[in-house]
Amino acid sequence: MSPQYIEIDAPKFLRNAGYQIKKASKEKRRKQAPNKNKKTKASRRWRKAQSKVSKLTRKVGLQRQNWVHQVAAEIVSGNSFVATEKLEVKNMTSRAKKGSSHKQKAGLNKSILDIGFGMLRSTIKYKTEQIGGVFVEVPTRQVKPSQTCPKCGNQQKKTLDIRVHECGVCGYVQDRDIAAAEVMLYWAKGTLPGLGTSLVDAESPSSTSRTRKQAGSMKQLGAKKRQKSGSTGLGAETQTSTK
């Protein structure tokens, strides 16, 4: 059975509420704020404006949390084996150097933070373990999913504006995000050409440390799935990517 791919659109909760939050924050700055040095208390209007800002930001947080749980439930409902990229969100959202790309990087940072990658990763991992599945984090620096060809393993650098993967060695053409998802899946299963990696290099689903632990061979994983399918009805899974 050929893999089925579902691309999930990134949410824009913070961007959609950005104008309201900015307007409310501007109104708050015009009110008398508390000052410990001058021993002045916040005015009633400032407290009211602060409450409005907090309400808007809290709404964005709840929307994001609800979206994360829905996406995680959708992924885990059809998959007992989940492979995802090990992302360093702090590094990804670092400030850009001054220059023409400063605004572009700032916009990218907002989009990354709006998704809540850390929360999404933790929720998927938790839900996968709940059903007795396997959760694998692919080491980004070693595997380079967006730069690697899933068919031949050739690595070729791409800028962010290139959205289609075109391998100069084997000629494989695929959407960039889907190609990266295939790389992660094949690496986790030990079938990615060139790198020679396998599931034993991955983090164990029950591991809470940063050190890699043996997660078992693919043969052991298959036996575990067959045992689970008899009691829970879980069968073979398809790979789903979130970008």
Side-chain angles (χ1 to χ4, degrees):
M1 184 177 66
S2 60
Q4 298 177 357
Y5 302 104
I6 300 174
E7 291 190 273
I8 300 171
D9 294 331
K12 297 180 180 179
F13 304 122
L14 184 59
R15 286 186 177 276
N16 292 338
Y19 174 77
Q20 290 179 304
I21 294 175
K22 187 176 180 179
K23 183 180 178 181
S25 299
K26 187 176 180 179
E27 290 177 357
K28 187 185 76 170
R29 289 194 295 269
R30 293 174 177 173
K31 309 298 187 293
Q32 180 180 311
N35 191 315
K36 291 183 179 180
N37 295 330
K38 294 181 179 181
K39 297 181 179 181
T40 57
K41 295 182 179 181
S43 66
R44 181 181 61 82
R45 291 183 178 181
W46 186 93
R47 292 196 299 269
K48 186 177 180 181
Q50 172 62 26
S51 177
K52 186 176 181 179
V53 173
S54 299
K55 185 177 179 180
L56 289 169
T57 54
R58 186 165 57 249
K59 181 180 178 180
V60 170
L62 291 173
Q63 287 176 326
R64 184 183 297 113
Q65 186 178 32
N66 183 56
W67 178 84
V68 163
H69 280 279
Q70 287 182 349
V71 170
E74 182 181 354
I75 291 173
V76 176
S77 66
N79 304 278
S80 59
F81 182 92
V82 179
T84 184
E85 193 172 359
K86 190 171 185 178
L87 299 173
E88 298 292 341
V89 179
K90 184 178 180 180
N91 295 336
M92 292 169 61
T93 55
S94 60
R95 288 187 178 183
K97 296 180 180 179
K98 292 183 179 180
S100 58
S101 61
H102 182 76
K103 289 185 178 180
Q104 183 180 0
K105 184 63 170 68
L108 178 62
N109 289 351
K110 285 183 180 180
S111 298
I112 292 173
L113 294 172
D114 208 2
I115 293 173
F117 276 120
M119 187 191 302
L120 182 59
R121 177 259 182 203
S122 300
T123 306
I124 293 174
K125 184 176 186 289
Y126 165 74
K127 289 183 180 293
T128 303
E129 291 175 353
Q130 261 194 329
I131 64 170
V134 176
F135 179 88
V136 180
E137 279 191 293
V138 180
T140 307
R141 292 184 179 181
Q142 177 189 349
V143 182
K144 300 178 181 178
S146 62
Q147 314 292 341
T148 304
C149 178
K151 294 299 180 183
C152 69
N154 176 60
Q155 291 187 345
Q156 182 179 349
K157 289 185 178 181
K158 305 184 190 74
T159 55
L160 285 174
D161 59 308
I162 300 176
R163 305 314 305 168
V164 178
H165 168 78
E166 296 183 23
C167 182
V169 176
C170 68
Y172 181 62
V173 179
Q174 182 61 276
D175 178 87
R176 175 177 176 148
D177 293 337
I178 293 178
E182 289 178 333
V183 170
M184 289 185 279
L185 178 64
Y186 297 157
W187 184 92
K189 288 187 172 183
T191 59
L192 181 65
L195 295 183
T197 53
S198 65
L199 186 62
V200 295
D201 296 320
E203 179 187 5
S204 170
S206 59
S207 172
T208 56
S209 66
R210 292 188 177 184
T211 58
R212 291 182 181 179
K213 297 184 179 180
Q214 183 170 342
S217 65
M218 292 306 297
K219 187 179 291 186
Q220 291 172 326
L221 175 61
K224 182 179 179 181
K225 286 181 182 178
R226 287 192 292 272
Q227 184 180 3
K228 285 288 181 182
S229 62
S231 58
T232 63
L234 294 174
E237 74 288 354
T238 57
Q239 198 274 346
T240 305
S241 66
T242 303
K243 293 288 181 180

